[in-house]
Every structure is written in C-alpha cells, then in structure tokens.
Amino acid sequence: MLFYIFKRVLLMIPTLLGALTITFVVMQFVPGGPVEQILAEARAGAAAGDASGYKAGRDLDAKQREELMKLYGFDKPAHVRYFEMLGNYLQFDLGRSFLQNKGVWELIKEKLPVSISLGLWTFLISYLISIPLGVSKAVREGTRFDTLTTFVVLLGYAIPGFVLGVLLIVLFAGGTFLDWFPLRGLTSDNWDELSTLGKIKDYFWHLTLPLICLVIQQFAVVTLLTKNTFVEEIRKQYVLVARAKGLSQDRVLYKHIFRNALIPLVTGFPAAFIGAFFAGSVLIETLFSLDGLGLLSYESVVRRDYPVVLGSLYLFTLIALVVKLVSDVLYTVVDPRVQFGAAGK
C-alpha cells in the first residue's frame, strides 16, 4: 500500500504540471490581457467624462503601456514567467491579483465562507435524504412508491438549477407573488444586532433558496446510485442464504447488505465533500448575489486576471488529486479485498 501511495504521489506531479502548462499556454494566445483591461477601463472613464479617466485615456502612450507590461511581468519571455510561476507555486505563493491588488490566497479566503456554506449544507442535506430514500426504494423495488419517487427525483434533476432559482425568486423572494426570502448575501444588514438564535435563523433564512436549487440536482444521482447498489446486493447469493436461515428483513438489510452496498458511496465521500466546496454553481451565486469561489473563478477568466486563474487552478487541482488518493485508500479500508499494490496490478 505504501508503494502504491508513493507511485500515486509521483503521478500527481505530471498531472498538475500538465493542467498548469496547458492553461498557461492557452492564455498566451487569448486576446485581451490585464493590460488591455486597464486600458479599456481608462478609455471608458474618459468616455464617461471623468477627468482622471480622460487624462489616463489621452496620455496612455506606448511608453506607459510598456511600464504596465513591466509592472505585471509581461516584459519577460513566456518561458521565464512560466518557470517563475512554478517556483512560486512550489512555495505555495499564488501571487497577487492584477486587477484587485490583493493576494490570491487572501481572495480565496474571502470567498471561502460562501463556498463552505453552500458546499457543506448541500453535501449533508443531499446525502442525509438521498441515502435513506435510496434504501427505501431498493427494498420496495417495483412498487408504486418506487415509481413515484423515481419520477419526482428525475423531474427535479431535469430542471436546471438556474431556472428553478428564477422560479423561486418569482414565487417567494419579492417577485410577482410572495416576499419571504432575501436575495442578497448570507446575512442581513443588522446581523451584529441579532441574538445567537436570531443569527442562526437569519443565516439559514438566506441559504434556503440557494440550497434548494443546489440540493435538488444532487438527489437523483445519489438516490439512484444508492438504490441500484442495494438492489444488486439484495440479489446476491449470501442474502438468499441469510434469509433461508430465518433472519429478519431488518437484520439481513443492516447487518449483511448495508456495509457492502455503501462501499461506492463511502469511498466517494471525500471527493463529494470537497467537490461541493469548490464546484459551486456560478449561476446560482450570481442569481442570489453570493460572492463565492465559483463567481471569483468566472470573473477572473472574463477579466483575464491570470494570477487568480492559475492560482485557483493549481490549488483546486492539487486538492482534487489528494482527495482522489484518499478515496482510493479509503476503498481498501472499507473493503479489505481490494489491494491496489498487489502483484500483477
């Protein structure tokens, strides 16, 4: 097992380098870099009649453009910038944002509360509901309950989260009908004045609609995976033998079936848990004015804020690779029959 882990760690290096290299190379050919963004904003200020913007737009000649290129390091050859970036990343120095004048680490930490709130509760709610529902569907396979819940789950999965979000806003957030839920942020303006219980209520009050949009997309996958896994186990020979011995349905289900059936779900926990934080919906964050990591990544790509794009990519790819390794190791813990480092594999 230790040798297998060592090999996997070594394989992470070319994977990480490949992701960074491809992204870096693509960025060299994408028009409209950060310097062009600053020039465009200066010209927009001049067009709006702002005095400073007008002066900047008029006086930004070739010399000043060269100064901007030097400021952001674009006066150096691409290969020099590439190896400098790798050297910084080895020290976990993700650099500074071109357009926000903040460290990338600082920006990520600012957005984490939103992503953690959405990711953690989406993960917990979806799994706490979907697993029991999937087990119930497996036990009642072919019944009216199974058919009806499958229809409801797939119907929810078929509705895009953004469309559902717009519908919920129209119905419950000051749209055409009711005004029950807020539309901005995770807390109200009077957060500091609220009691502890009031803060908890306010926090979940703001999260209700975004979580509905995110959770409903997870139900179908987890529920049907749970159901199919349990159905497969229920049909195996050892279950028939256990029932032939006179064991009760609950004893067969929870003592014999449960552990084997949950292996695919348990081993997927780390990836699902971490993925829920860093794979938030940009559309949902935009729709409900939630400034999280998804929105940060999207805006960085649009505005060509290369340090944020590459720094976020480096961090998220590294986390994904580590989590994948943890999932594989966890698989051997849950199912000792699996030996990744066995001879011949």
Side-chain angles (χ1 to χ4, degrees):
M1 173 58 69
L2 291 177
F3 181 65
Y4 171 77
I5 294 176
F6 178 71
K7 288 196 303 182
R8 286 290 300 273
V9 172
L10 290 180
L11 287 173
M12 289 181 186
I13 298 175
T15 304
L16 193 58
L17 283 175
L20 289 173
T21 302
I22 292 173
T23 306
F24 184 86
V25 170
V26 169
M27 284 181 174
Q28 307 311 306
F29 301 98
V30 175
V35 173
E36 286 73 14
Q37 294 281 342
I38 293 175
L39 295 176
E41 291 176 3
R43 295 188 187 101
D50 180 72
S52 61
Y54 173 76
K55 185 177 185 300
R58 184 183 62 185
D59 298 338
L60 275 174
D61 53 15
K63 180 178 178 181
Q64 290 171 310
R65 179 186 180 88
E66 182 180 343
E67 291 176 353
L68 285 174
M69 296 286 285
K70 184 176 181 180
L71 176 64
Y72 293 127
F74 291 108
D75 59 323
K76 302 176 183 177
H79 68 278
V80 174
R81 289 186 281 116
Y82 173 75
F83 286 109
E84 285 183 352
M85 176 192 73
L86 293 184
N88 291 333
Y89 285 177
L90 284 175
Q91 306 173 52
F92 286 94
D93 178 7
L94 303 184
R96 295 184 65 82
S97 167
F98 287 155
L99 302 178
Q100 301 188 50
N101 196 28
K102 290 183 178 180
V104 177
W105 276 115
E106 184 180 352
L107 285 172
I108 291 176
K109 287 189 289 185
E110 286 179 0
K111 314 302 180 184
L112 267 179
V114 172
S115 296
I116 289 176
S117 295
L118 292 175
L120 178 63
W121 293 114
T122 299
F123 173 83
L124 289 177
I125 294 173
S126 60
Y127 270 80
L128 288 176
I129 295 177
S130 297
I131 290 179
L133 179 60
V135 174
S136 299
K137 288 172 61 62
V139 173
R140 298 173 176 84
E141 184 187 19
T143 64
R144 182 177 298 178
F145 171 82
D146 181 31
T147 304
L148 180 61
T149 52
T150 299
F151 173 77
V152 173
V153 166
L154 292 179
L155 178 63
Y157 182 74
I159 301 175
F162 183 75
V163 174
L164 179 61
V166 172
L167 178 62
L168 292 176
I169 289 174
V170 171
L171 293 177
F172 303 112
T176 306
F177 298 93
L178 304 172
D179 188 9
W180 288 353
F181 297 97
L183 275 177
R184 181 177 298 277
L186 289 179
T187 58
S188 299
D189 295 335
N190 63 337
W191 169 264
D192 294 332
E193 303 172 4
L194 299 175
S195 63
T196 301
L197 181 59
K199 289 181 178 179
I200 295 175
K201 290 181 178 178
D202 182 75
Y203 171 72
F204 285 105
W205 180 51
H206 281 75
L207 276 178
T208 300
L209 297 186
L211 284 181
I212 291 175
C213 298
L214 293 172
V215 167
I216 200 167
Q217 297 295 307
Q218 303 292 326
F219 276 158
V221 176
V222 181
T223 300
L224 295 181
L225 176 61
T226 303
K227 176 200 169 182
N228 294 335
T229 305
F230 270 81
V231 168
E232 183 180 353
E233 291 295 323
I234 289 173
R235 294 172 178 173
K236 289 185 176 179
Q237 188 68 30
Y238 74 91
V239 176
L240 298 177
V241 172
R243 286 175 174 171
K245 291 181 178 179
L247 297 180
S248 65
Q249 175 72 10
D250 290 342
R251 186 173 178 82
V252 172
L253 178 64
Y254 294 106
K255 183 177 180 180
H256 297 276
I257 299 176
F258 207 76
R259 179 178 178 181
N260 293 330
L262 282 183
I263 288 176
L265 296 172
V266 171
T267 54
F269 276 178
F273 187 68
I274 298 298
F277 294 159
F278 300 109
S281 172
V282 175
L283 293 176
I284 297 300
E285 290 182 8
T286 304
L287 186 63
F288 293 97
S289 300
L290 299 172
D291 193 9
L293 292 173
L295 189 58
L296 172 66
S297 300
Y298 172 74
E299 290 180 345
S300 301
V301 172
V302 172
R303 302 184 67 188
R304 307 294 192 269
D305 199 347
Y306 296 156
V308 179
V309 175
L310 288 166
S312 301
L313 175 68
Y314 169 73
L315 180 62
F316 299 161
T317 304
L318 182 61
I319 291 174
L321 292 172
V322 172
V323 168
K324 178 60 178 173
L325 176 59
V326 171
S327 299
D328 290 345
V329 173
L330 184 59
Y331 203 108
T332 65
V333 174
V334 177
D335 189 356
R337 296 171 297 178
V338 177
Q339 297 294 329
F340 288 114
K345 294 186 179 182

